Amino acid sequence: MRRKLVAGNWKMNGSAESIRGLLQGIREGAPAVAAVELAVFPPFVYLGLVEQQLSGTAVAWGTQNLSEHASGAYTGEIAGPMLQDFHCQYVIVGHSERRTFYGESDQIVARKFAAARKLGIKPILCVGETLEEREKGVTEAVVERQLKAVLDSEGVGAFTDAVIAYEPVWAIGTGKTATSAQAQEVHAFIRRQLAALDSAVAAQTRILYGGSMKAANAGELLAMPDIDGGLIGGASLEAKEFLAIAKAGC
Ligand code: PGA
């Protein structure tokens, strides 16, 4: 049985003050949605605050990115061992905003995935097609290519302690959600890719949906057999909304 994971990707939002309030709300509401695992992904500079506020609670935390390198002359980068200092359980890799705005290739993403796993930090690997790719009918080919880069270098066993997030780029921050049937179709495709290599790993790997997920559509999406949670952007910035999404998965 795969326990659902509802993860809040805060992106480049928040302040010390707003994050304190958000964390307080999440802390207070978490026990009522304990059937679902919760995790939050703040900007790096608020990691200490998040660790301080969430230690001893059931809510996990991590970051939105990490360097593929462990240390060295990489100005402006943050390394995996630094995330360990803040006891991060998860890290998001290959978010479409990183791929698009910061030129992260499938190979860079695969190296980041490997860097996280080496340290025992669970990567959440994001995959997903653009609107143009969907309209061209190459959604599966794109997702397969993104997945294959990691499978080729790390092997299917690496997914035992990793998470996949299917995030159609055209649904991110646009208010346009994939229908539950559209999402389920791609999630099932992803699981089949894993199953072709190892059916036990495929059965246990959590595949999250991301892209304008909110309380109003979460119930329908989370009811799908291959949707094991959500990676939530905008709707994770309000405790009430974030918790309502988790509630829909209970
Ligand atoms: P959104 O973002 O929920 O604001 O669409 C999801 C994501 O990019 O992880």
Side-chain angles (χ1 to χ4, degrees):
M1 193 46 194
R2 299 182 295 267
R3 185 172 176 221
K4 287 197 167 54
L5 170 62
V6 171
N9 174 11
W10 295 351
K11 306 193 180 183
M12 198 174 71
N13 293 297
S15 62
E17 194 189 349
S18 73
I19 288 172
R20 267 195 199 93
L22 177 53
L23 289 169
Q24 189 184 343
I26 294 173
R27 264 199 334 257
E28 287 169 5
V33 294
V36 166
E37 183 180 3
L38 295 177
V40 296
F41 295 82
F44 286 119
V45 293
Y46 298 119
L47 207 45
L49 175 60
V50 168
E51 182 189 20
Q52 184 200 358
Q53 302 279 314
L54 294 182
S55 284
T57 73
V59 184
W61 61 90
T63 59
Q64 303 163 18
N65 184 27
L66 86 166
S67 170
E68 65 195 273
H69 306 289
S71 68
Y74 300 102
T75 301
E77 290 290 284
I78 305 284
M82 298 171 185
L83 306 189
Q84 280 184 309
D85 273 346
F86 292 91
H87 305 98
C88 290
Q89 297 96 319
Y90 292 100
V91 61
I92 298 171
V93 298
H95 189 281
S96 65
E97 286 151 18
R98 301 289 322 166
R99 294 178 189 261
T100 308
F101 305 145
Y102 303 98
E104 290 190 12
S105 64
D106 292 335
Q107 285 64 37
I108 293 174
V109 173
R111 289 199 291 272
K112 291 186 172 195
F113 182 101
R117 274 198 71 247
K118 212 166 112 193
L119 300 168
I121 302 172
K122 296 182 182 121
I124 300 181
L125 171 68
C126 299
V127 297
E129 81 289 2
T130 61
L131 183 58
E132 199 190 343
E133 289 163 339
R134 174 160 283 263
E135 284 171 350
K136 269 202 229 147
V138 295
T139 296
E140 291 189 351
V142 168
V143 168
E144 188 179 355
R145 190 203 73 222
Q146 291 169 333
L147 207 54
K148 193 172 179 298
V150 176
L151 286 169
D152 282 354
S153 65
E154 299 309 299
V156 67
F159 283 90
T160 310
D161 49 14
V163 176
I164 297 170
Y166 168 59
E167 299 206 303
V169 178
W170 48 272
I172 295 177
T174 56
K176 260 197 216 171
T177 324
T179 64
S180 50
Q182 276 175 325
Q184 166 59 26
E185 202 182 319
V186 182
H187 281 235
F189 172 76
I190 292 170
R191 203 176 303 284
R192 284 200 303 276
Q193 299 303 298
L194 300 178
L197 300 167
D198 188 320
S199 57
V201 171
Q204 81 176 66
T205 302
R206 289 181 295 184
I207 307 173
L208 315 183
Y209 169 79
S212 299
M213 195 163 169
K214 45 187 184 284
N217 58 30
E220 208 191 317
L221 286 159
L222 295 173
M224 291 289 131
D226 289 297
I227 302 185
D228 307 311
L231 183 54
I232 325 294
S236 71
L237 297 169
E238 260 187 55
K240 213 171 139 222
E241 183 73 10
F242 183 59
L243 292 162
I245 294 170
K247 183 88 196 147
C250 288

